[in-house]
Amino acid sequence: MSTENGNLLSVRDLCVVFKTEDGTVKAVDGISFEVKRGETLGIVGESGSGKTVANLSLLRLIPEPPGKIESGFIEFGGRDLLKLSQTEIRGLRGKRIAMIFQDPMTSLNPFMRVSKQLMEVTQLHLGHTKQQARAHAIKMLEQVGIPDAHERVDSYPHEFSGGMRQRVMIAMALSCQPELLIADEPTTALDVTIQAQILELIKHLKSETGASVILITHDLGVVAGMTDRVVVMYAGKLFEEAPTRELFERTANPYTKGLLRSVPDPTSEHETLYQIPGQPPDLAHLPPGCPFAPRCERAEEICRREFPPFVELTMSHRSLCHFANEIYAETKSAA
């Protein structure tokens, strides 16, 4: 599929496996999605659903061994990223595609000053001199809201708070004005006030640069406020994809429905919190049929026996479920 139709990124049938003592695990199993120019795509799902692995694959950061990108097609800028040489993919990382990693404390080198880590990016990709790179590093820290940036630039990561370290990661990711920004749980372990500031910062910088964003998160409240479209993943599979508003109003998948029911209602004083029963499956020993069937309240015999089809409900809404049409009709009438 060409990216000439407004898509910045097209992923087709991506499959990523890991060799383990228990056998081969398909962490990502044949998923396909697109990211349009200037849009924010949310990717949600429980831990272990394949969200992070899928996006590390875009940058070819899967450790080999034990991991391997077994098959698929990732088109960005008219080229298949899986066919690029190591030199070519390194030229893209940090320059045209950048990533905010989940834990800034482990992503930043604790033995290097922040200035050096920021300067390396622009010296490598933009050809900056040492003086230019330092000036740019200070400018980026100011842009992400770090006070006294000209003094703090020479600090070590441990001298920053969690929220400030995340801002440093964002400054690093945006240093070369990438076309695609991947934000992997950018607000994990931050208090709600800092979370709001970080998300607002990403939204503001996105509007300034025109970058596309892939936002990986567990937080459906963040998804509702930040994204244009949503991809729901479970057991390495893409379970549902829809525009954000439609997904919240007319979901067509029991798993997505369970995730939405799990969100606390702040207006209810005595509501019992809902949780999806059971645990995510062992990817090395998936059950026959639908991988969600053992936990699904709507499952029938066909769900336990046959893998579900991908049902296209509208041009922009699809769901992996035997009963997708029925669930969609029910939620549509309820709305």
Side-chain angles (χ1 to χ4, degrees), residues 5 39 56 109-110 222 253 302 334:
N5 56 4
E39 84 165 344
L56 287 174
N109 189 324
V222 169
N253 193 285
I302 189 173

Side-chain angles (χ1 to χ4, degrees), residues 8-23:
L8 176 67
L9 175 80
S10 286
V11 177
R12 284 285 170 269
D13 300 318
L14 180 64
C15 184
V16 184
V17 301
F18 286 85
K19 301 289 185 182
T20 72
E21 293 179 358
D22 294 328

Side-chain angles (χ1 to χ4, degrees), residues 46 48 234-235 279-287 291-292 294-295:
E46 293 169 289
Y234 182 77
Q279 297 292 328
D282 178 355
L283 295 182
H285 304 95
L286 286 172
F292 186 59
R295 307 174 69 192

Side-chain angles (χ1 to χ4, degrees), residues 100-112:
I100 304 169
F101 292 95
Q102 190 166 356
D103 183 358
M105 195 60 214
T106 56
S107 301
L108 293 168
N109 189 324
F111 300 105
M112 288 173 61

Side-chain angles (χ1 to χ4, degrees), residues 97-291:
I97 305 176
M99 189 164 185
I100 304 169
F101 292 95
Q102 190 166 356
D103 183 358
M105 195 60 214
T106 56
S107 301
L108 293 168
N109 189 324
F111 300 105
M112 288 173 61
R113 297 182 189 275
V114 162
S115 54
K116 186 171 183 182
Q117 297 185 61
L118 285 166
M119 289 164 62
E120 276 185 343
V121 179
T122 55
Q123 285 178 300
L124 175 65
H125 291 302
L126 303 181
H128 280 181
T129 63
K130 190 173 181 179
Q131 291 73 23
Q132 289 173 325
R134 183 179 176 82
H136 189 76
I138 294 170
K139 176 186 169 186
M140 290 305 301
L141 291 181
E142 290 172 342
Q143 195 171 348
V144 298
I146 292 182
D148 302 319
H150 62 287
E151 295 176 7
R152 301 299 305 277
V153 71
D154 288 319
S155 300
Y156 287 95
H158 72 269
E159 297 179 279
F160 288 88
S161 67
M164 287 298 174
R165 283 196 294 268
Q166 195 62 286
R167 288 172 187 264
V168 171
M169 285 294 300
I170 294 171
M172 189 181 297
L174 293 173
S175 286
C176 299
Q177 293 199 331
E179 297 163 63
L180 177 62
L181 176 66
I182 303 169
D184 186 2
E185 299 279 4
T187 58
T188 295
L190 302 178
D191 65 63
V192 290
T193 305
I194 304 300
Q195 281 185 29
Q197 291 174 0
I198 294 295
L199 293 171
E200 194 56 40
L201 176 61
I202 292 173
K203 192 186 290 187
H204 172 69
L205 295 173
K206 172 185 178 291
S207 66
E208 279 196 344
T209 62
S212 300
V213 176
I214 296 177
L215 179 63
I216 306 167
T217 182
H218 291 91
D219 192 331
L220 289 168
V222 169
V223 166
M226 289 282 294
T227 65
D228 302 301
R229 283 188 307 119
V230 185
V231 163
V232 180
M233 289 189 67
Y234 182 77
K237 290 281 189 182
L238 195 156
F239 258 51
E240 189 165 15
E241 180 182 8
T244 303
R245 184 164 183 172
E246 169 135 351
L247 188 91
F248 277 77
E249 291 180 351
R250 294 190 284 275
T251 181
N253 193 285
Y255 177 59
T256 309
K257 209 168 184 178
L259 290 177
L260 293 172
R261 283 182 65 191
S262 302
V263 178
D265 181 358
T267 64
S268 175
E269 294 182 10
H270 306 291
E271 181 189 26
T272 301
L273 292 178
Y274 174 81
Q275 64 178 20
I276 300 172
Q279 297 292 328
D282 178 355
L283 295 182
H285 304 95
L286 286 172
C290 176

